[in-house]
């Protein structure tokens, strides 16, 4: 299906969450960050988040899309407000690329990419979401394009040390 004429392109920066109820193309660029895409196949609505860190230490503040648990909570709230159940969405996960593979890390808590991947998978399981696809890990960055009118997600992965 071709892009609808009136469907805008929206580029998500790190920490942003977007949810739409009309045709739209969502884009983002991920390194060690992770994106959730949510798509409701019957209603053709959904959204995407681009989170930077799994969670923050200090709680009790307004939700912030920079953190995986809070970005997912924002998407879940959008689903609820639109009269849908989170379990009815097709969920896809992308990102978590190691951006500095040449640096040997001694402490696992310094590996942000792996922490983000583990958090995304744990959140998916905790909320009983229907994970239909994932492309996470390895090295380098990913360009993500999500078409809300049909649920297609396009991924271009550029591993470190390769030119395309």
């Amino acid at each position: 299906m071709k892009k609808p004429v009136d469907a805008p392109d929206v580029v998500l920066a790190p920490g942003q969450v977007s949810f739409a109820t009309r045709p739209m193309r969502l884009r983002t660029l991920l390194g060690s960050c992770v994106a959730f895409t949510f798509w409701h196949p019957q209603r053709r609505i959904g959204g995407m988040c681009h989170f930077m860190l799994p969670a923050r230490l200090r709680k009790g503040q307004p939700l912030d899309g920079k953190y995986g648990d809070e970005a997912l909570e924002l998407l879940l709230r959008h689903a609820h407000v639109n009269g849908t159940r989170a379990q009815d969405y097709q969920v896809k996960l992308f990102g978590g690329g190691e951006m500095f593979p040449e640096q040997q890390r001694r402490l696992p808590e310094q590996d942000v990419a792996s922490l983000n991947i583990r958090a995304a998978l744990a959140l998916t399981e905790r909320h009983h979401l229907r994970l239909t696809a994932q492309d996470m890990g390895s090295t380098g960055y990913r360009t993500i394009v999500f078409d809300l009118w049909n649920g297609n997600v396009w991924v271009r992965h550029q591993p470190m040390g390769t030119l395309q």
Side-chain angles (χ1 to χ4, degrees), residues 32-127:
S32 59
C33 297
V34 169
F36 276 92
T37 63
F38 265 51
W39 190 65
H40 195 288
Q42 289 76 34
R43 298 267 311 271
R44 296 182 182 264
I45 63 175
M48 181 165 64
C49 70
H50 177 153
F51 75 84
M52 301 162 62
L53 297 167
R56 66 174 139 180
L57 298 176
R58 201 172 352 153
K59 301 293 182 186
Q61 298 183 22
L63 292 176
D64 188 335
K66 293 178 193 167
Y67 306 99
D69 57 345
E70 297 180 37
L72 179 58
E73 180 62 31
L74 289 166
L75 285 172
L76 295 172
R77 287 182 181 190
H78 283 293
H80 180 73
V81 165
N82 283 281
T84 57
R85 298 177 327 130
Q87 295 78 12
D88 295 334
Y89 285 77
Q90 293 177 2
V91 176
K92 299 177 184 177
L93 293 170
F94 305 97
E98 179 59 55
M99 298 307 295
F100 305 101
E102 69 284 351
Q103 293 181 0
Q104 292 291 332
R105 289 197 169 73
R106 296 189 181 152
L107 300 173
E109 62 269 13
Q110 293 177 333
D111 185 0
V112 175
S114 293
L115 292 171
N116 282 341
I117 290 170
R118 285 197 300 271
L121 292 170
L123 287 164
T124 301
E125 187 174 318
R126 182 180 317 140
H127 291 281

